[in-house]
Amino acid sequence: MDDFCAARTGEIPALLWPNFAPPYTAQMNFGQKTTQFSLDECSPDELSKVITQIQKEHPECTLVKTSHVRFQCSNLSLEDLDAHSKGKLNDFVAENLGEIEYSLDALYRAIVDECQRKSRTTDIAESFGEVLKGRAVTRSDAEDWLNRIRDKATAPTWDEIAADIDAGFREKNLMRKEWHRYCIEALNCNVAINVVRTKIQKHLQSDINSGMSLMEIIENIFPQVEPLAREHLAPISNERIKVMITYESCT
């Protein structure tokens, strides 16, 4: 972001950093200022500290537009940032979906993983819109997470689908265990799992009719997705693949 700011300052109306990082807070003493302020409002000494810190992390940066860089003071609890963030996340879910059962830890992990993935991107942005799309948490990201929770809420319990699973005792027991694991993991899908899920959903739309039983659906789709699942999710059991097909069929 600093690189982009240095290269395209004429195109960016403003950049905003939340001020809850201990190194910046300790070195620059921003807590004495108002809740929001720009670098233009800083004293020469404060401004020098900011520029020194930026150049330390990004030596190639030679230009800082003080009128474009703004800070916002935050009251995040640094003693227990995870708990604070999970509380905010739970409030967000409740506001959008009401009281609903889901794994808060799995959802939080999914969001942290996505933020870390975006922070590591090496793509060169050609516009500020591309910066937001590639680096920021967007509205579509939030909708995707909410949709995952909706899917989990609509998924049946194992007891509700067990009668439709025609398998031997051992295989059925392994599928039951995988079902309970996957219902949680579906909230925190990585890229590999999403590739397989997308393949399953494609075949559900094109190859399946409403008259098929659950076992017919599994038997029809399994050979279509097994090679892809083993390529991206190895090692993976047959029972795990069947559970993934079952989950997509039920949500």
Side-chain angles (χ1 to χ4, degrees):
M1 181 66 78
D2 294 313
D3 298 338
F4 188 85
C5 178
R8 298 180 176 272
T9 50
E11 302 176 15
I12 302 175
L15 291 175
L16 186 64
W17 273 268
N19 174 28
F20 51 77
Y24 288 101
T25 304
Q27 293 176 26
M28 300 168 205
N29 196 26
F30 283 163
Q32 302 301 316
K33 295 191 177 297
T34 57
T35 55
Q36 290 194 35
F37 58 93
S38 71
L39 290 185
D40 274 348
E41 302 170 43
C42 294
S43 68
D45 181 59
E46 291 171 331
L47 188 57
S48 175
K49 291 178 181 179
V50 174
I51 294 175
T52 298
Q53 187 68 27
I54 292 176
Q55 290 180 331
K56 182 186 299 182
E57 298 183 15
H58 297 274
E60 71 280 7
C61 183
T62 58
L63 176 65
V64 178
K65 285 286 189 177
T66 57
S67 60
H68 287 182
V69 183
R70 298 187 61 82
F71 286 81
Q72 177 173 322
C73 294
S74 170
N75 62 352
L76 286 180
S77 172
L78 293 176
E79 290 75 21
D80 196 351
L81 184 56
D82 284 349
H84 185 102
S85 300
K86 287 179 182 179
K88 293 292 186 181
L89 180 58
N90 192 54
D91 290 344
F92 172 76
V93 172
E95 289 172 6
N96 285 272
L97 301 180
E99 294 300 322
I100 191 169
E101 184 178 348
Y102 70 102
S103 172
L104 179 58
D105 286 339
L107 179 62
Y108 180 68
R109 185 69 254 166
I111 294 174
V112 170
D113 288 347
E114 180 66 7
C115 290
Q116 290 176 341
R117 183 189 68 79
K118 289 191 173 189
S119 72
R120 292 192 296 267
T121 183
T122 57
D123 295 341
I124 299 176
E126 296 297 331
S127 68
F128 190 54
E130 289 185 14
V131 172
L132 295 178
K133 183 179 179 180
R135 297 273 188 170
V137 173
T138 64
R139 182 181 297 274
S140 62
D141 291 326
E143 282 299 327
D144 178 60
W145 293 322
L146 291 174
N147 286 336
R148 293 185 198 179
I149 297 173
R150 291 189 187 98
D151 289 344
K152 170 63 174 67
T154 59
T157 65
W158 176 256
D159 289 341
E160 291 173 320
I161 63 173
D164 295 314
I165 303 293
D166 183 14
F169 173 77
R170 184 176 181 280
E171 180 182 8
K172 195 168 185 177
N173 189 48
L174 289 173
M175 288 183 67
R176 176 184 62 82
K177 294 177 181 178
E178 290 290 354
W179 176 264
H180 291 306
R181 292 193 193 101
Y182 190 70
C183 283
I184 295 175
E185 292 173 10
L187 281 178
N188 184 16
C189 291
N190 56 36
V191 174
I193 291 178
N194 278 333
V195 168
V196 180
R197 291 187 71 179
T198 300
K199 180 76 169 179
I200 294 171
Q201 292 163 3
K202 178 182 177 181
H203 285 289
L204 283 171
Q205 293 171 1
S206 62
D207 303 341
I208 303 304
N209 62 64
S210 58
M212 287 183 172
S213 68
L214 177 57
M215 289 308 299
E216 288 174 330
I217 293 173
I218 293 174
E219 291 169 1
N220 184 285
I221 295 181
F222 183 88
Q224 309 294 330
V225 302
E226 180 191 10
L228 186 69
R230 297 202 186 284
E231 176 186 351
H232 288 274
L233 300 173
I236 185 171
S237 66
N238 289 352
E239 291 78 18
R240 173 74 165 194
I241 299 172
K242 292 177 180 180
V243 161
M244 293 181 70
I245 296 170
T246 302
Y247 185 90
E248 297 304 324
S249 302
C250 296
T251 57

